[in-house]
């Protein structure tokens, strides 16, 4: 069982999560791939989760979205507020302190909470995070970005979200025990895939808009695209041909 970190420890002192990444292959589909390890004991709810999604965009575009912390509620469904806060002690280079409100909808009820987190940014590669205050005894993990070349799509980015959560059950009464388990399950299997999908869609839509804007302003680029895609027709493709190819 991993020890609970004290508030004074830094993200670099996180319990290693290399073991988290040793299982589950990266999904090649558009949907997120989620893997869970249950390490519960008699007095501890303990989960490790790795979720992966492929995004048809460069890592820089994903990084820009993930580090625009105040705008995260516009993208991530269960965030209602996200803002920077002042650290209680002198912060280190590339450290970010956040205060965030979350809301998870369950049947017949809504669960809300405020969390305070410290993050360590490693530009375009990784964002480590650890909750200093929240509903769990331990919640820590990292975002990981890795670019790769796809033969058809060009540059893509594999986005991984690895998280570890612990909650001591002896701190809970029976009513809370009944509540906390479905909340964790809901977050792992519904909210987490929704979050990754929302991030992927937001980045890919923005990327598509940029490409369309480039075509409008650069007719040479538009001509090249049409010749590459429809050159064998010998004529400008009809509207229904463009639509069937997904080009509206």
């Amino acid at each position: 069982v991993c020890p609970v970190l004290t508030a004074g420890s830094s993200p670099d002192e996180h319990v290693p999560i290399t073991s988290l990444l040793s299982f589950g292959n990266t999904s090649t589909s558009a949907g997120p791939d989620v893997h869970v390890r249950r390490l519960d004991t008699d007095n501890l709810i303990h989960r490790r989760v790795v979720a992966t999604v492929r995004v048809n965009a460069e890592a820089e575009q994903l990084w820009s979205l993930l580090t625009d912390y105040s705008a995260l509620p516009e993208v991530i469904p269960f965030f209602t507020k996200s803002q920077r806060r002042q650290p209680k002690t002198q912060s280190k280079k590339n450290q970010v302190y956040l205060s965030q409100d979350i809301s998870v909808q369950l049947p017949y009820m809504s669960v809300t909470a405020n969390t305070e987190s410290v993050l360590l940014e490693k530009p375009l590669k990784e964002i480590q995070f650890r909750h200093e205050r929240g509903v769990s005894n331990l919640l820590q993990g990292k975002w990981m970005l890795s670019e790769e070349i796809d033969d058809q799509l060009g540059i893509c980015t594999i986005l991984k979200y690895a998280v570890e959560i612990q909650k001591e059950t002896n701190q809970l009464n029976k009513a809370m025990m009944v509540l906390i388990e479905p909340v964790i399950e809901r977050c792992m299997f519904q909210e987490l895939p929704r979050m990754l999908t929302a991030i992927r869609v937001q980045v890919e839509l923005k990327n598509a808009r940029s490409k369309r804007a480039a075509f409008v302003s650069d007719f040479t680029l538009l001509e090249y695209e049409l010749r590459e895609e429809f050159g064998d027709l010998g004529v400008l493709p009809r509207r229904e041909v463009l639509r069937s190819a997904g080009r509206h």
Side-chain angles (χ1 to χ4, degrees), residues 95-198:
Q95 275 191 337
V96 178
Y97 292 79
L98 296 179
S99 175
Q100 295 173 318
D101 290 346
I102 62 174
S103 177
V104 178
Q105 301 296 321
L106 295 173
Y108 310 111
M109 67 182 304
S110 174
V111 179
T112 60
N114 173 263
T115 64
E116 291 185 353
S117 307
V118 56
L119 288 70
L120 179 65
E121 298 179 349
K122 298 182 178 181
L124 302 185
K125 295 293 184 181
E126 185 177 289
I127 303 173
Q128 298 181 8
F129 61 86
R130 173 177 49 80
H131 283 197
E132 292 186 315
R133 182 179 64 81
V135 296
S136 59
N137 296 95
L138 171 70
L139 196 154
Q140 66 177 12
K142 58 174 70 175
W143 292 94
M144 291 161 283
L145 295 80
S146 176
E147 282 189 350
E148 63 177 33
I149 303 297
D150 185 278
D151 292 338
Q152 295 182 338
L153 301 173
I155 298 178
C156 297
T157 301
I158 304 302
L159 177 63
K160 286 188 177 182
Y161 178 85
V163 64
E164 179 175 15
I165 183 170
Q166 295 181 10
K167 181 65 178 180
E168 293 181 8
T169 55
N170 56 14
Q171 297 177 348
L172 304 173
N173 57 36
K174 290 184 178 180
M176 285 298 294
M177 276 295 295
V178 173
L179 174 64
I180 195 70
E181 185 76 13
V183 169
I184 293 176
E185 293 291 312
R186 175 68 178 248
C187 288
M188 289 190 302
F189 293 109
Q190 294 188 41
E191 300 302 330
L192 182 51
R194 284 181 64 205
M195 175 178 71
L196 291 180
T197 299

Side-chain angles (χ1 to χ4, degrees), residues 52-81:
T52 306
V53 69
R54 180 192 298 269
V55 183
N56 298 333
E58 297 179 4
E60 185 175 0
Q61 295 169 291
L62 266 170
W63 183 268
S64 177
L65 183 146
L66 292 173
T67 56
D68 188 1
Y69 300 111
S70 61
L72 287 179
E74 301 173 14
V75 180
I76 298 178
F78 56 86
F79 277 9
T80 57
K81 186 188 76 172

